[in-house]
Amino acid sequence: MKRTIVAMPGDGIGKVVLPEAIRVLEAAGFEAEYVNGDIGWDFWCDEGNPLPQRTVDLLAEHRIGLFGAITSKPKDKAAAELKPELRDKGFVYYSPIVTMRQHFDLDICTRPCQTFPNNPLNFIRKSADGGFEEPLVDVVIFRQNTQGLYAGVEWTNPPENVRAALASHPRFKAFLDVPGEDLAVSTRIFTREYCRRIVTAAFEYAAKHGYKSVTVCEKPNVIRETSGMMEAEAAEVAKRFPDIQLWSTNIDAQMMWLTKNPEDYGVIVAGNMFGDIVSDGFAGLVGGLGFACSANVGKDVAVFEPTHGSAPKYETLEPSIVNPIAMVLSACMMLDHIGETEKAARIRTAISSVIAEGSVRTYDMMKLPGGPKVIEQGAATTQQVTDAIIAKL
Ligand code: NAI
Ligand code: MG
């Protein structure tokens, strides 16, 4: 039976890299039907909704999505670009990615950050003898995707009942006299069930893939209730995995250690914001946005996407210069998710050989400032990198 995948290219370079990933999937022998899912800026402008209901319905039906990237703009720009008939009708722009994550409860976000040998963008550091060493990074971040600081429960000038609730906490004393319009509150809400789900996913992944440690990266010494709950659930879940060590680091210290000993970490688990920070940090050690892939997995639906955005400054370049690898690696995560692990492994090996040989490299890997000139400077186009991967397959 052929699978149906909802392909959501989105905006800008999302439209460039998603078809490249599909080319690689086909070359690896993965047979699927792709249905197009509308998402992004054009649909905001034309319909007042960047995630139309028809796309939500497609995802609900087929359950697997491949997503490129979208463009988001600030409130006033969003309102100004709405087509005239829709203006002043109460349409409010809201990120379709956040909407998708919340609607389908895609609570488990996985972001692997793994070194490809001979990638010129790999992090190196000085060794004690004055030489250089290139630590092998193999970290997989599990980020809680739906709660915490990004859940959107926040106010400037909170309503009276909220203020009253806050005032019932002794520590709110310091803010009692602040006028409403000068008071901004963003909540950090964790639930035990979702802490349990994310740490369980992290431990199960570590066990399946042979990682020796799971590190909870929070700040329980200061943010006692929420970080504390995550840590307590991790301690509970860890009992079922006696062969895996449970470590705990504070997010700030973790960023300090980022370049000191990145090779010591395996699986890392964190709430929404700290997970975002720590995954960007580790992604920077292994090549950055051209390599950063991710999975967003819920109970029923899963969506796979590169971490990068729509890179508007490159969207109209012909030929395209952006690196397709982050998108292709996201497609590999999709293959793993649906049990096509052998095909995923073959694609990763192909990517790895292209990088190791080093003759076909996008501009980012050549450390060139992006622009149309990079091709004459020896950079490969997006399509050439895909072709090289396919040739290896
Ligand atoms: P961006 O990720 O689109 O681009 C930042 C820079 O990273 C680019 O200018 C380019 O130099 C580099 N880059 C990104 N992807 C690359 C690739 N595949 N290969 C080589 N280089 C690459 O982030 P930016 O410029 O902050 O945002 C642009 C738009 O994208 C905004 O509208 C923003 O809201 C949106 N965005 C969307 C995301 C998503 O769809 N998940 C994530 C981040 C931003
Ligand atoms: Mg980020």
Side-chain angles (χ1 to χ4, degrees):
M1 197 192 72
K2 257 195 186 180
R3 270 198 178 262
T4 303
I5 311 285
V6 184
M8 297 169 282
D11 301 307
I13 65 165
K15 291 191 179 121
V16 175
V17 292
L18 183 53
E20 295 304 290
I22 293 176
R23 280 214 289 141
V24 175
L25 288 169
E26 285 175 347
F30 175 61
E31 289 186 19
E33 201 173 307
Y34 297 90
V35 291
N36 185 75
D38 294 335
I39 187 169
W41 199 249
D42 292 346
F43 304 98
W44 160 251
C45 298
D46 289 348
E47 303 175 26
N49 184 359
L51 181 66
Q53 184 60 39
R54 56 185 179 279
T55 307
V56 173
D57 294 342
L58 280 176
L59 278 171
E61 183 183 349
H62 302 296
R63 295 171 174 221
I64 302 287
L66 258 187
F67 167 54
I70 49 114
T71 296
S72 288
K73 298 183 192 180
K75 232 177 173 177
D76 48 335
K77 279 211 170 131
E81 290 187 32
L82 205 53
K83 81 174 175 192
E85 310 78 294
L86 297 180
R87 281 182 212 155
D88 307 315
K89 295 243 160 66
F91 291 101
V92 180
Y93 183 82
Y94 201 66
S95 160
I97 305 179
V98 178
T99 310
M100 191 158 62
R101 286 177 189 157
Q102 289 179 346
H103 181 89
F104 291 110
D105 207 9
L106 305 177
D107 62 316
I108 294 170
C109 177
T110 312
R111 294 181 167 183
C113 298
Q114 285 145 341
T115 305
F116 284 104
N118 207 32
N119 183 350
L121 298 172
N122 288 345
F123 167 69
I124 56 167
R125 79 185 157 215
K126 233 171 182 167
S127 51
D129 62 7
F132 291 95
E133 54 198 12
E134 189 176 318
L136 209 65
V137 178
D138 181 3
V139 164
V140 182
I141 289 119
F142 279 74
R143 166 192 179 198
Q144 207 296 328
N145 222 10
T146 48
Q147 306 193 331
L149 274 173
Y150 295 178
V153 183
E154 52 181 5
W155 304 266
T156 296
N157 196 358
E160 211 37 63
N161 55 348
V162 173
R163 257 198 104 114
L166 292 169
S168 71
H169 195 289
R171 300 241 179 204
F172 196 71
K173 221 182 201 165
F175 307 103
L176 279 176
D177 298 332
V178 180
E181 61 273 20
D182 297 335
L183 187 71
V185 177
S186 301
T187 63
R188 188 177 204 254
I189 302 174
F190 281 25
T191 66
R192 199 174 298 286
E193 182 195 350
Y194 281 74
C195 288
R196 176 74 64 113
R197 277 176 59 78
I198 193 76
V199 293
T200 302
F203 270 97
E204 285 175 349
Y205 186 94
K208 189 168 171 194
H209 297 275
Y211 288 91
K212 69 177 197 310
S213 65
V214 169
T215 303
V216 179
C217 182
E218 279 284 326
K219 184 95 182 174
N221 57 332
V222 179
I223 318 176
R224 289 167 186 276
E225 305 305 329
T226 45
S227 291
M229 182 178 279
M230 184 77 87
E231 215 178 41
E233 288 309 302
E236 204 44 48
V237 171
K239 291 180 187 159
R240 289 199 278 124
F241 298 87
D243 299 336
I244 299 170
Q245 295 175 43
L246 172 62
W247 296 344
S248 178
T249 58
N250 284 346
I251 176 70
D252 47 346
Q254 183 69 68
M255 296 315 280
M256 181 182 63
W257 294 325
L258 185 69
T259 51
K260 267 191 147 167
N261 63 339
E263 65 273 43
D264 291 347
Y265 298 93
V267 172
I268 294 183
V269 58
N272 212 334
M273 180 173 205
F274 296 163
D276 203 9
I277 292 171
V278 77
S279 64
D280 273 13
F282 275 98
L285 305 179
V286 298
L289 289 176
F291 296 85
C293 54
S294 76
N296 304 278
V297 179
K299 291 178 186 126
D300 300 316
V301 172
V303 176
F304 303 84
E305 53 161 332
T307 308
H308 64 70
S310 60
K313 58 183 178 182
Y314 304 138
E315 73 169 297
T316 56
L317 278 190
E318 191 52 55
S320 171
I321 62 164
V322 295
N323 193 339
I325 291 177
M327 182 78 236
V328 178
L329 288 172
S330 305
C332 290
M333 296 185 81
M334 176 190 80
L335 290 178
D336 283 339
H337 179 77
I338 60 182
E340 296 275 8
T341 49
E342 179 272 336
K343 291 186 180 78
R346 275 204 296 127
I347 296 173
R348 288 193 183 98
T349 305
I351 293 172
S352 195
S353 343
V354 170
I355 295 170
E357 274 174 23
S359 53
V360 184
R361 286 173 167 168
T362 41
Y363 80 96
D364 53 327
M365 295 175 73
M366 296 182 69
K367 308 195 181 196
L368 294 169
K373 282 212 186 100
V374 300
I375 303 297
E376 66 200 48
Q377 290 170 304
T381 65
T382 307
Q383 284 75 17
Q384 284 168 337
V385 171
T386 314
D387 290 343
I389 295 167
I390 291 173
K392 291 290 174 198
L393 281 171

